[in-house]
Amino acid sequence: ATGGPVEQGAVGAGTGARSGGLRGGVGSASAVVDGVTVGALVVVNAMGSPCDRDGSLYAVRSGLADEFARVPAPDPERARTYWEERAAEADELRAGTATTIGVVATDATLTKVQCRKLAEVSHDGLARALSPVHTAYDGDTLFTLATGDGPAPDEIDLVRLQTAAADCVTRAVGHAMLAAVYVDRTGEGGVALASWSQRLSSG
């Protein structure tokens, strides 16, 4: 492993990923709460859409400070067309073809039981970034890793850590969708997958 920023978008496990008929991929986000660092790395490949009815990304609402300040507004006409096409795409879905997976890591000292709870709460982050989520078509799974380099949180601090972890998952989904790029594989017998920026953005 090497240091530095995590490559995001249609890379690695996110190469062929999609979400709501859009290009999916790898996304990451982190936060520091009560002196403890927590981060999420997510591969977004979901049956559900990352977009609200107006075309905006759900995840943008959970950004820290100006994290998503440069994300352009959605185009209303493109949003209308997108949802019309989504209705047709949904009819072609098959169970087991979508799975959003990820890992939540922290330097806090946690027990196995606390790690399990952190993973459970982190799924709330998926629910804030994708709709619908945890469907019969998805195999959504999140794992938790705790290095133990930091302190063991008390009960209240643990709740804050869980909340921050869920927010990181939401933000990571947003970064994955924004980092994804258009890919046309129709010449290879595949499909053309437009990114959120290309299909819905006004920018």
Side-chain angles (χ1 to χ4, degrees):
T2 59
V6 174
E7 190 174 2
Q8 302 182 89
V11 296
T15 301
R18 64 173 65 195
S19 177
L22 301 171
R23 188 75 164 146
V26 177
S28 67
S30 63
V32 178
V33 55
D34 298 321
V36 170
T37 301
V38 61
L41 180 67
V42 179
V43 180
V44 185
N45 185 50
M47 178 270 191
S49 174
C51 307
D52 203 344
R53 299 302 301 183
D54 65 356
S56 61
L57 289 170
Y58 292 121
V60 168
R61 304 168 185 169
S62 298
L64 292 180
D66 60 351
E67 181 176 14
F68 294 116
R70 295 186 179 181
V71 176
D75 182 280
E77 183 60 27
R78 289 184 175 184
R80 183 187 64 77
T81 302
Y82 166 75
W83 284 110
E84 289 177 350
E85 294 174 353
R86 276 297 292 152
E89 291 169 354
D91 291 337
E92 300 176 3
L93 291 172
R94 290 177 292 107
T97 57
T99 295
T100 296
I101 59 173
V103 60
V104 172
T106 177
D107 58 4
T109 298
L110 303 178
T111 66
K112 289 184 178 180
V113 172
Q114 290 171 330
C115 282
R116 179 180 179 126
K117 188 62 177 180
L118 186 59
E120 290 176 356
V121 176
S122 294
H123 275 269
D124 293 347
L126 290 180
R128 290 196 288 266
L130 300 165
S131 181
V133 71
H134 301 139
T135 74
Y137 296 96
D138 298 282
D140 301 333
T141 305
L142 293 175
F143 299 91
T144 291
L145 300 176
T147 67
D149 295 329
D154 59 27
E155 291 185 5
I156 294 300
D157 288 342
L158 188 57
V159 171
R160 295 192 184 101
L161 178 61
Q162 293 164 351
T163 302
D167 287 341
C168 285
V169 170
T170 301
R171 293 164 49 222
V173 171
H175 286 297
M177 299 308 300
L178 292 170
V181 295
Y182 172 74
V183 172
D184 185 352
R185 291 195 173 134
T186 53
E188 305 170 13
V191 297
L193 281 179
S195 66
W196 177 86
S197 298
Q198 180 193 43
R199 191 167 178 183
L200 289 161
S201 168
S202 61

